[in-house]
Amino acid sequence: MKFTINRARFIQELQTVQRAISTKTTIPILTGVKIELNHEGLNLTGSNADISIETFLAADDEKAELQIDTTGTIVLQARFFSEIIRRLPEVTFTLEVQENHQVLITSGAAHFTVNGLDADNYPHLPVVEEQNQLKLPVHMLTKLIEETVFSVSQHESRPILTGVHFTMSNGQLLAVATDSHRLSQRIVPVENANKDFDIVIPGKSLVELSRSLSDEEAEVEISIMENQVLFKTPTMYFYSRLLEGNYPDTNRLIPTSFNTELTFSVPTLLAAIERASLLSHEGRNNIVRLAIADDSVILYGNSPEIGKVEEELVYEKVEGEPLEISFNPDYMKDALRAFGDMSIKIQFISAIRPFTLEPSEGDVSFIQLITPVRTN
C-alpha cells in the first residue's frame, strides 16, 4: 500500500476515529487505527468494547489531494501515529507499507519508519442488516442528545441508567435519561420510521457521536440490530453497543397536577443560580434554597465557611401557594442550559416532591424533573 495525502484533511478523519480508540484495552490491536485503501478512497477505523467508528475519505475529495499508488491495509499504533502526522513539516505526506508490516512515512526531509500490525487480525465490525431504518436530521439528533444525556447516571451500580432510553412509537421518538435524582425527557415527531423500537444507548457513546457528527451532513440514518445500533452518514459509520435490561417506567414519575407555578426567562434565572452556587459549592452540602411568595421569589445560597448570598429574582409570573424548597444548583444549571434562550415554567407540588421545568409556550415537548433536597 502506498498513498500521498493532505495532512490537515487526514488528521481531521484520524481525530474522528480516535474517539473510539482506548489506550486501556485487553485486545492490543485495538490500540491501533486500521487504514484501508482501495480505488474508491481511504477508510480509517477505530474501535473499543463499546463503540466503533469508520470514516471514509473519497478518492475524489478535492481537499484530500489523495494520490493512490497501490491499495492495501495496515494497522498502526494510533497515539504515536497521530503525533507523528501532526508534527510532519509539509502540507502533504506519503505513507508506504513495506516488508514485515514496516511503514515508511515521509514528508519533506522527515522520514519515519514505524512498525505496523497485520490488518487481518483486526476484529470485524458488526454486519448490519438494513432493518429498523430511521432517518433524522443531524441537528435534531445532536439537539436530542444535548437535551438528555447530562441526566444519565455516572454510577455503574445500575448500568441501565448510564444510558439514554429511546423508544419509537406512533410516529414519535421519545428520549429519556435519569440518574434517579433528575430526569430529562424529549419527544420529537418522526415521519419516516419503518418500525417501532425500544433501546438504551450508553450516554458515553452518545457524547462521542455528537462530537463526531458535523453540520455538513444533513441526515443521519439509524439502524438497530440485536445488541448494536449504527448511525450512518455519507462519510462515517458509528457503531455503539446497546445496554441490556429493562429501563424503568419513567412516565409515572412525571407529575400532572401542581400547587405553585413560576415563569422565568432562562438566561436571567441561570445567571442567578450561578451566583448562588458560587457559595454553595464551597460548603459541605451543595444546596440552594428558593422562597416563593405571592409577590417575591428569593434565592438563598449559603456556606458556613464563606458566607451567604440572597437575591430577589426577576420572574415573569408567579401563581399558586407560597413555598420554600431546596435543591442542588448543579442539576438546575444543567437543566436550564439545555433549554437555551427561552421562557420556561417551573411547577411545584411541595417542598419534598420533584418539580418540573418545561417551555412556557410553543409546542416543544421537552420536560425536566428535579428532586429537591430535604433540609431541616
Side-chain angles (χ1 to χ4, degrees):
M1 171 165 89
K2 184 179 180 184
F3 65 88
T4 303
I5 195 166
N6 177 289
R7 202 164 57 89
R9 187 72 188 84
F10 183 83
I11 288 171
Q12 244 179 330
E13 299 301 310
L14 189 57
Q15 269 175 331
T16 300
V17 298
Q18 268 188 298
R19 297 186 200 289
I21 300 172
S22 165
T23 48
K24 304 184 200 84
T25 172
T26 49
I27 309 166
I29 200 163
L30 288 185
T31 61
V33 56
K34 179 180 170 189
I35 302 170
E36 191 174 348
L37 182 70
N38 56 37
H39 291 296
E40 276 82 60
L42 188 68
N43 283 320
L44 299 183
T45 308
S47 184
N48 62 29
D50 292 326
I51 63 174
S52 303
I53 303 175
E54 182 180 3
T55 68
F56 178 66
L57 200 54
D60 56 7
D61 182 317
E62 284 176 12
K63 289 182 185 162
E65 305 170 54
L66 178 60
Q67 294 166 27
I68 301 168
D69 284 345
T70 48
T71 59
T73 58
I74 193 75
V75 176
L76 289 173
Q77 213 290 329
R79 203 165 53 87
F80 283 118
F81 178 51
S82 77
E83 289 298 328
I84 289 169
I85 302 299
R86 270 172 221 285
R87 288 173 168 73
L88 290 175
E90 300 291 331
V91 175
T92 62
F93 72 91
T94 300
L95 184 147
E96 184 179 0
V97 178
Q98 300 175 319
E99 286 170 14
N100 301 327
H101 308 300
Q102 293 259 306
V103 176
L104 175 66
I105 300 165
T106 50
S107 177
H111 299 259
F112 283 87
T113 305
V114 292
N115 298 325
L117 294 165
D118 186 346
D120 290 344
N121 298 329
Y122 196 87
H124 290 290
L125 294 182
V127 176
V128 182
E129 292 108 30
E130 302 289 315
Q131 59 176 34
N132 279 356
Q133 289 270 307
L134 165 68
K135 284 186 182 171
L136 279 183
V138 165
H139 67 85
M140 184 188 281
L141 179 62
T142 49
K143 189 104 177 80
L144 205 58
I145 294 169
E146 207 177 285
E147 290 170 337
T148 52
V149 77
F150 60 86
S151 290
V152 302
S153 173
Q154 302 304 321
H155 302 291
E156 293 293 336
S157 53
R158 288 186 70 189
I160 198 80
L161 294 187
T162 61
V164 178
H165 186 204
F166 287 89
T167 47
M168 180 79 218
S169 65
N170 304 326
Q172 287 191 322
L173 178 63
L174 177 141
V176 65
T178 181
D179 61 5
S180 72
H181 300 291
R182 54 173 166 179
L183 176 147
S184 302
Q185 176 182 293
R186 179 79 159 94
I187 300 171
V188 293
V190 175
E191 288 168 7
N192 51 16
N194 287 0
K195 71 201 220 214
D196 293 355
F197 56 80
D198 181 330
I199 57 173
V200 184
I201 304 175
K204 287 178 180 157
S205 301
L206 291 169
V207 169
E208 294 305 345
L209 171 65
S210 69
R211 287 177 183 156
S212 306
L213 291 166
S214 68
D215 297 338
E216 289 140 38
E217 288 119 12
E219 270 194 329
V220 58
E221 236 176 74
I222 303 169
S223 303
I224 298 153
M225 297 142 284
E226 212 149 291
N227 55 1
Q228 291 269 341
V229 58
L230 165 62
F231 297 90
K232 195 163 131 189
T233 73
T235 57
M236 179 181 74
Y237 281 21
F238 185 107
Y239 299 83
S240 168
R241 75 179 174 97
L242 297 174
L243 293 176
E244 288 171 22
N246 292 325
Y247 202 84
D249 176 16
T250 51
N251 243 348
R252 57 189 177 75
L253 302 175
I254 298 169
T256 50
S257 59
F258 305 93
N259 298 321
T260 310
E261 184 177 308
L262 289 172
T263 310
F264 281 104
S265 151
V266 169
T268 311
L269 180 58
L270 179 57
I273 301 273
E274 281 172 337
R275 286 189 285 274
S277 68
L278 288 173
L279 294 188
S280 71
H281 273 174
E282 294 300 321
R284 279 187 300 277
N285 46 4
N286 179 25
I287 52 177
V288 298
R289 184 163 55 91
L290 194 63
I292 304 160
D294 290 341
D295 55 357
S296 73
V297 180
I298 299 171
L299 185 67
Y300 299 92
N302 181 15
S303 156
E305 299 84 2
I306 307 277
K308 58 184 189 207
V309 57
E310 179 181 319
E311 180 172 348
E312 191 158 332
L313 298 183
V314 179
Y315 57 87
E316 291 174 6
K317 197 162 73 178
V318 61
E319 288 177 75
E321 296 165 17
L323 177 72
E324 281 208 14
I325 192 164
S326 301
F327 53 84
N328 178 323
D330 294 342
Y331 291 170
M332 187 64 127
K333 287 189 290 193
D334 286 342
L336 291 171
R337 287 188 189 116
F339 285 106
D341 188 357
M342 64 164 76
S343 178
I344 58 162
K345 60 182 180 195
I346 308 178
Q347 296 174 305
F348 306 89
I349 301 170
S350 72
I352 56 170
R353 296 281 300 279
F355 58 93
T356 63
L357 298 82
E358 52 187 320
S360 61
E361 58 232 3
D363 53 0
V364 175
S365 182
F366 182 27
I367 191 162
Q368 308 229 24
L369 181 112
I370 296 175
T371 305
V373 178
R374 294 181 182 221
T375 55
N376 307 345

